Amino acid sequence: MIPRKKKKVIIIVSIIILLIIMTISLILLYINTDLFRSHATLFAKYFGQNVENIDTIYQKMGESELNQIIRQNKYTTKTQVKMNYIEGKGTTLENTQNSINQLKLNIEGQTDKNNQYNYQDIHLIRDDEKLAEVEYLQDGNIHGIRFSDLFNQYVAVNNENLRSLFEKMGYDEQSLANLPNTIEFDKNIKSNFQLTQEEKQKIQNDYINIIKENVSKEKFSKQTKQMIQIDEKNINANAYTLTVTKEQMNNLIIKMLEQIKQDEIILTKVDQIQSLLPMYQTKSLKEQFISKIDDTITKITRNNIGQEESKITVYENNQMTLKTVIQNENYEIHIDVLPLEEEHYLQISYQDSTVEQFMTYKRTKEETNISLKNIKDKKTAQYSLLIGEEINNNNGTKRIEASYEDDSNRLETTIEQEIRIVNGFDKQVKMDHENSINLSELEKEPLQSILQQVNAQVSQKVTEITTNDMKVEDLWKILKTLGLVKEEQIFENIGITETEKTRFNSKFEILQGENLGKEEILNLIDAVKGNLVEIEVIQNNELKLKLERTKKTEEVATSLISFVEKNQNKKYNAKVEYDEQTGLVKDIVLTMIQESR
């Protein structure tokens, strides 16, 4: 029999222990669950979680087992690139007969990133016939390119002091100011946009606080057991909704936009984008970004009257935000995420009375799919990218399918690549003084002379290919389909489009130069002989080569070659003149340089 006093002590201790257990349980429930939290707090929590989810998916983009293997090893590659363009698909007028479909690129490569070595041998093929060959070689800090059909040597540059090199090429001060001194080929671009945990938390807090400080608690509500669908998966979720008027929603958006204008984290990322685009310096991207925000604020302010209902709803399952929906009378935005370990899914969609747009990213262990889809005026256009990878004993294969498709046309590009991990290369190509000319080591005159020769012969080769094998008309048709160029009006006075005029002129514009010797002038003649009709002697030291777009006179080229051979020690300056009516190049003026006494 327990004494009464001792029994009371046991009861009191038992009650205290029970209270401690209950308190600890409640604390754990509060920390690890959403119990006891207000609808406003939970809305803020799950709305802000979008930042974390999207950043998690972004950090995983581009990561794969195959990519990790090739970053750490030497490897060889065999790659084939093919295009297929279908015009009028699915109709009786369906057409695949174009010159682009008959071409393919075969590329063989050797890569050792750890030792800054990369060699790529590129063949343009048509019906098993080689049309052109280009070789690229990185050997340490030297990068070179060789047009194997035309030259025996690589045209190479040191990846340093690039402004000085381009100055010798004749670039003006404004262009030089926009050029980097060194190009970082292996720069990890993705790392520039990743957020630290502190940055993510600050972004969430800043913008969630705007909502908390400007919306009363009764504007928030909760619904349970809401069925949603993400990536064709049905999921039971809790929904937390903020319901306000159009005017209240616009005021929130304006406050957030004002915060973005002074958000150092976001503005720093904008600056980092500009640092990756050194040629894009005409105007600060940050200034343009802020200007766009100001324009948006102005447009919202002008139309910021209305009591129509606007909603933001976040859906969560197992304390993970899966869907966010923003709705008002004018538009609807959906953000769907599945940041799972083996599968990542993100879709952002926008819909109003005129257009529907979808951006979808899905990655599984086997493949990655990215698509952009636009539906307007009942017409659909979609860009898609599929990347599939397989690994077999440290060797791998990669297949990339990029496509554009609308209601009438389809363009697809297929890249198939075999990757083999090796201990060394059987025939490693090295850069030396015998197989390369390093432009960085040349003075201005020999540098410009070599570039003039290369430009002339490459231009002639490109013209030959685009005339006989890869029709420019087919290429421009594809670019128009993609929306990369606009429909062009034919110039009535010359019967050609702006694009054709640009192409015609560029053949001759690259031939211009100063202090050109015999070989450079002979290359120039070879490049223009298909359009050369007459030579006009202006002065004793000046010749005008008259050109026409659709005519040539072979005897004129022959006589000019004879003249240059007889005056083989002379130097010339070459410049083009244009027809004032048509804008086409009509003459090339050769001025013989007088020898100084």
Side-chain angles (χ1 to χ4, degrees), residues 456-469:
Q457 293 196 43
V458 171
S459 176
Q460 184 178 349
K461 183 69 174 179
V462 170
T463 300
E464 177 187 319
I465 292 173
T466 54
T467 300
N468 301 321
D469 302 294

Side-chain angles (χ1 to χ4, degrees), residues 233-351:
K233 297 179 177 67
N234 292 322
I235 301 172
N236 204 320
N238 295 318
Y240 298 91
T241 302
L242 165 63
T243 305
V244 291
T245 66
K246 172 185 174 181
E247 186 173 346
Q248 290 171 328
M249 177 69 78
N250 284 341
N251 288 337
L252 272 178
I253 293 173
I254 289 173
K255 289 181 183 297
M256 289 186 179
L257 291 174
E258 292 287 359
Q259 172 64 28
I260 292 174
K261 284 172 54 179
Q262 56 189 1
D263 192 315
E264 285 303 316
I265 296 173
I266 293 175
L267 294 180
T268 297
K269 299 302 178 187
V270 175
D271 281 337
Q272 289 173 341
I273 293 174
Q274 181 146 8
S275 72
L276 298 171
L277 303 169
M279 300 292 289
Y280 189 77
Q281 299 283 351
T282 54
K283 187 176 180 181
S284 164
L285 281 181
K286 184 192 291 186
E287 291 177 8
Q288 293 185 67
F289 180 68
I290 293 174
S291 177
K292 287 288 186 182
I293 293 176
D294 286 333
D295 291 343
T296 303
I297 291 174
T298 300
K299 289 178 183 178
I300 293 174
T301 304
R302 288 173 180 169
N303 190 33
N304 194 22
I305 299 176
Q307 298 303 307
E308 299 88 351
E309 188 175 83
S310 296
K311 290 183 179 181
I312 302 177
T313 303
V314 288
Y315 297 84
E316 65 85 15
N317 173 274
N318 198 25
Q319 298 193 66
M320 180 183 292
T321 302
L322 302 179
K323 179 188 279 286
T324 301
V325 181
I326 303 172
Q327 298 169 294
N328 69 21
E329 63 168 352
N330 298 318
Y331 61 83
E332 190 167 307
I333 298 172
H334 288 235
I335 304 172
D336 295 351
V337 284
L338 281 176
L340 307 177
E341 185 64 31
E342 293 294 326
E343 178 180 332
H344 298 147
Y345 179 85
L346 169 64
Q347 184 179 81
I348 301 174
S349 63
Y350 171 89
Q351 179 178 355

